[in-house]
Every structure is written in C-alpha cells, then in structure tokens.
C-alpha cells in the first residue's frame, strides 16, 4: 500500500508490526495450549421442533486460557486455520465429541464443525475413522457440519471426500445456509442430509418480512428435497412458534440452552430450558 506522507507510512508500518507480533504470540500460545490441554469441547442441544425432544448436540470448541480466561472460537480459529493447527485441533474435537457421544442415549447424535482447511489435509477420512473406532460410536450418530466455502475451494476433491464419509454412514450438514453467494447450486452438487439456516435470518424472523419469506422458502425446499432443516440461534418463543408454523424440523439456540461442558449433557437432556 502507498502512503501520501512519510508519517503515515511509518505509522502504517508500526501498526503492521504490532499486529504481526500479536499474531506470533497468539500462535505460540495456541501451540502451547494443545500441549497443555487447554481446549475443551462444549455442547449445545438441538431439539426436534414438533416433539421437543433433544435429537443432537453440536460440539463447540472453547479455549481455557490460563491468563485470558475462556476464549470463543472466533478469536483463535482463523489463526489456527492459517497456521494449519486447525488440523490437530479438529482431531481433538472429533475424538472428544465421539467419545462423549458414545456415553449418551443412542438416539442422540453429535454434530462436529469441520474447517475448510481440514478438507485440504489428506488425513480427514483417517481422523474420522479413528475417532469412530476409538470411541465405538456408530457412524450414523455423527454429523459433520461444513460451510459452502468448503465446496467452493476444492470442488472435485471435496465432493469425493464427502461421498466417502457418506458411504461410512456419517451424515453431512450444510452450515450457515443463506450467507454465501450461490447456496442453491450446492444443494444440487451434493445430497446433504441437513440444512442449517443461519442465525441472521432467525433473529430477524419476527421483525422482517423478507427473513420470514426466506425461512419459508428454505423449509419448503428442505421438505421437497427430503432434507432436514435446522434453525440456528433461536432465542425466544415467538421465533420458535413461527418456525414451527413453517414446518422447520429442528431448532437450536439460547432459548433452550447455551453451549455447556459435557458434564452438563444429562441436565440439558432433562430440562427443556436452561439458560
Ligand atoms: P457455528 O457453527 O455457526 O456455531 C453456532 C454459534 O452460534 C456458536 O458460537 C453458538 O454458541 C452460537 N449460538 C448458538 N445459539 C445462539 C443464540 O441463540 N444466539 C446467539 N447469539 N448465538 C448462538 P461459538 O461457539 O462462539 O462458535 C462460533 C463459530 O466458530 C461456529 O459457528 C463455528 O463456525 C466455529 N467453531 C466452533 N467450534 C468449532 C470447531 O470445533 N471446529 C471448527 N472448525 N469451527 C468451530
Ligand atoms: Ca455449526
Ligand atoms: Ca452455523
Ligand atoms: Ca455461523
């Protein structure tokens, strides 16, 4: 980038330097955190809208930093992806999620988020197979959540991997649906088991007619294609009622529970609402 004056340029350089330094620190911290076992998988219940039953839990990664406390994934996943550390982190999440889910009632599934970077690693199928074998979890109880950026970056190879996972019995969900550019074409390129409607549409459900129209269209699409629809970020009863009316299959959000540690799963199964 060009700068108009010397001062501006130097300021810019210093800024870059500080950022690069912060990045290096965070990267060192991330590597150490893996060694020191500072990561933990939290779980958030997903309920069947019609029956209210908990049908699955989504695994969501947390970092217990010794100085900074509990850190949400938004603050470290991007760097973990850039540095490739996400592959190790992702394996940790897969192993933990399968091991935990193996202790749950067997009509309760577990959903694990996969980063696009994990698809570039040749080990993905092996990691999934190992997590299933080590835990003894039935492959049909594992759902993998991917965003359309996965399909965008590496079309053919990704499709092959997805079909392989499918053949093992694992189910595949399309996460954050509606936030990308050409979501509809992805539904034609791969037979997804589930569509997760992005939180942004759900949060505006009661206040914006266009959000309502989009939810109606997606649930209708799901019905005609035989794909389960899950609404993310359901925070109140008005939203839940509107989703029920549109025939949305599943709902997930703070209305039911925030993500919590594995030790709280029994409690989340027992109580319909927990905040
Ligand atoms: P996501 O997959 O879309 O996950 C849903 C996010 O929405 C979670 O944030 C969850 O805590 C939050 N959420 C759930 N219900 C509500 C609600 O009612 N209201 C609001 N405001 N938020 C709600 P979280 O745990 O901070 O995760 C953020 C993102 O980080 C995830 O978005 C996912 O993209 C990524 N992520 C989390 N864990 C993993 C992981 O193990 N691997 C990978 N690759 N990515 C992960
Ligand atoms: Ca997700
Ligand atoms: Ca999502
Ligand atoms: Ca999201």
């Amino acid at each position: 980038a060009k700068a108009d004056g010397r001062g501006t340029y130097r300021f810019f350089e210093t800024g870059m330097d500080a950022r690069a330094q912060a990045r290096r620190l965070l990267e060192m911290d991330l590597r150490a955190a893996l060694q020191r076992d500072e990561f933990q998988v939290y779980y958030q219940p997903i309920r069947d809208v019609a029956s209210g039953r908990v049908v699955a839990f989504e695994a969501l990664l947390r970092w217990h930093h010794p100085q900074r406390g509990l850190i949400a994934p938004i603050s470290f996943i991007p760097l973990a992806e850039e540095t490739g550390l996400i592959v190790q982190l992702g394996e940790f999440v897969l192993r933990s999620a399968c091991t935990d889910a193996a202790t749950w009632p067997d009509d309760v599934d577990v959903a694990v988020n996969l980063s696009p970077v994990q698809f570039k690693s040749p080990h993905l199928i092996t990691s999934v197979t190992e997590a299933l074998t080590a835990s003894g979890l039935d492959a049909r109880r594992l759902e993998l959540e991917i965003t359309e950026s996965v399909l965008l970056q590496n079309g053919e190879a990704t499709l092959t991997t997805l079909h392989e996972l499918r053949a093992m019995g694992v189910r595949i969900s399309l996460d954050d649906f509606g936030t990308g550019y050409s979501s509809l074409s992805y539904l034609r390129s791969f037979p997804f088991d589930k569509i997760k409607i992005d939180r942004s549409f759900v949060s505006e459900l009661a206040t914006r007619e266009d959000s309502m129209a989009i939810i109606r269209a997606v649930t209708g699409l799901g019905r005609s294609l035989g794909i389960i629809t899950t609404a993310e970020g359901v925070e109140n009863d008005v939203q839940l009622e509107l989703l029920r009316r549109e025939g949305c299959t599943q709902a997930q959000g703070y209305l039911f529970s925030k993500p919590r540690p594995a030790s709280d799963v029994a409690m989340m199964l027992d109580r319909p609402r927990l905040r």
Side-chain angles (χ1 to χ4, degrees):
K2 274 226 176 109
D4 18 68
R6 243 188 180 171
T8 322
Y9 185 67
R10 284 183 54 192
F11 175 78
F12 180 66
E13 247 193 343
T14 316
M16 285 295 282
D17 225 47
R19 263 207 304 281
Q21 212 162 10
R23 236 189 70 119
R24 271 196 297 275
L25 276 176
L26 182 64
E27 185 182 342
M28 276 165 50
D29 251 15
L30 265 177
R31 289 186 193 280
L34 269 164
Q35 303 301 316
R36 289 195 298 241
D37 252 2
E38 290 168 8
F39 292 102
Q40 190 183 2
V41 178
Y42 274 38
Y43 295 96
Q44 186 180 37
I46 301 173
R47 287 185 177 268
D48 177 76
V49 171
S51 68
R53 188 176 79 83
V54 173
V55 289
F57 286 94
E58 178 174 2
L60 294 156
L61 190 57
R62 297 291 182 267
W63 179 6
H64 295 280
H65 193 283
Q67 280 88 42
R68 292 159 62 195
L70 194 68
I71 307 183
I74 182 81
S75 315
F76 62 89
I77 292 220
L79 186 65
E81 290 181 326
E82 274 178 58
T83 54
L85 279 171
I86 191 70
V87 173
Q88 261 174 283
L89 262 181
E91 283 174 359
F92 166 79
V93 176
L94 267 171
R95 273 197 313 271
S96 306
C98 291
T99 305
D100 289 335
T103 69
W104 305 341
D106 52 13
D107 56 358
V108 179
D109 302 335
V110 69
V112 174
N113 292 285
L114 289 187
S115 155
V117 178
Q118 289 177 272
F119 274 85
K120 287 191 196 145
S121 143
H123 304 299
L124 184 61
I125 298 283
T126 317
S127 308
V128 173
T129 308
E130 279 175 5
L132 289 170
T133 311
S135 62
L137 187 77
D138 185 335
R140 286 166 298 185
R141 290 179 57 201
L142 176 63
E143 300 170 11
L144 298 176
E145 300 192 356
I146 65 163
T147 55
E148 58 187 41
S149 59
V150 171
L151 296 161
L152 202 74
Q153 68 172 13
N154 196 6
E156 278 305 303
T158 297
L159 282 182
T160 308
T161 306
L162 288 177
H163 281 291
E164 261 181 86
L165 290 166
R166 243 314 188 58
M168 291 163 56
V170 173
R171 275 161 307 141
I172 311 290
S173 307
L174 189 51
D175 205 352
D176 299 345
F177 188 79
T179 57
Y181 287 106
S182 48
S183 303
L184 287 178
S185 65
Y186 294 114
L187 294 180
R188 213 174 40 181
S189 58
F190 184 79
F192 288 96
D193 298 281
K194 190 188 274 194
I195 297 171
K196 297 194 79 173
I197 305 169
D198 192 68
R199 186 170 80 222
S200 55
F201 300 107
V202 177
S203 63
E204 296 173 335
L205 198 51
T207 49
R208 282 185 59 166
E209 266 176 43
D210 50 358
S211 291
M212 189 69 223
I214 287 169
I215 300 254
R216 180 168 298 153
V218 177
T219 51
L221 196 68
R223 252 193 313 280
S224 33
L225 295 175
I227 304 176
I228 290 170
T229 45
T230 304
E232 302 184 318
V234 181
E235 295 184 348
N236 59 54
D237 286 295
V238 175
Q239 291 165 348
L240 183 63
E241 184 47 37
L242 290 170
L243 290 163
R244 189 196 319 276
R245 227 180 279 169
E246 295 310 326
C248 184
T249 329
Q250 302 174 348
Q252 172 182 8
Y254 294 168
L255 175 65
F256 304 122
S257 175
K258 290 192 168 175
R260 290 168 173 270
S263 52
D264 287 348
V265 160
M267 197 167 63
M268 290 189 275
L269 283 170
D270 273 356
R271 296 198 222 159
R273 285 171 194 200
L274 205 94
R275 273 190 266 188

